[in-house]
Amino acid sequence: MSVINITKNNYQEEVVNSDKPVLLDFWASWCGPCSMLSPIIDKIAEDRKDIKVGKVNVDEESELSSAFQVMSIPTVIVMKNGSVTGKSVGLRPRKSIEAML
């Protein structure tokens, strides 16, 4: 499955109403560690059909960033049934991210 660009307009449908766990990557284009994490997130999305993967651009979606209290990026949040079940801040290896799922 490809990565979905999550916005305030599609958040309810894609994340809250998802029947699969959702991995959210909060990022920005100017963030070096975000650029290093991006291929890892993309590969997880490609390999894992049992989850949904979304990216949230913090510069464009400040409301979502505030709602999740994202203070540093990259921040990865896992949601199941509309609730946060895991959160990590900073660059992490793939195994660490997948362990949250």
Side-chain angles (χ1 to χ4, degrees):
M1 179 177 273
S2 62
V3 176
I4 301 163
N5 183 38
I6 302 296
T7 67
K8 65 181 178 185
N9 296 327
N10 69 0
Y11 171 78
Q12 184 74 31
E13 176 187 343
E14 296 290 354
V15 179
V16 176
N17 296 341
S18 176
D19 57 346
K20 298 178 179 181
V22 181
L23 178 71
L24 292 174
D25 175 23
F26 288 80
W27 69 284
S29 60
W30 47 264
C31 168
C34 297
S35 297
M36 294 176 1
L37 183 62
S38 185
I40 296 169
I41 298 295
D42 293 346
K43 187 69 173 144
I44 291 171
E46 182 182 316
D47 294 347
R48 299 281 305 260
K49 306 304 180 203
D50 59 321
I51 64 168
K52 189 181 282 191
V53 178
K55 291 190 180 186
V56 181
N57 184 323
V58 297
D59 290 333
E60 296 173 359
E61 297 298 330
S62 59
E63 287 180 43
L64 285 177
S65 300
S66 294
F68 284 97
Q69 300 176 343
V70 173
M71 301 297 177
S72 298
I73 53 174
T75 292
V76 175
I77 294 176
V78 175
M79 296 192 65
K80 294 178 183 172
N81 301 317
S83 298
V84 174
T85 60
K87 182 175 182 177
S88 75
V89 179
L91 183 60
R92 299 276 188 266
R94 179 176 175 159
K95 284 184 179 182
S96 174
I97 295 168
E98 287 189 302
M100 294 191 309
L101 295 165

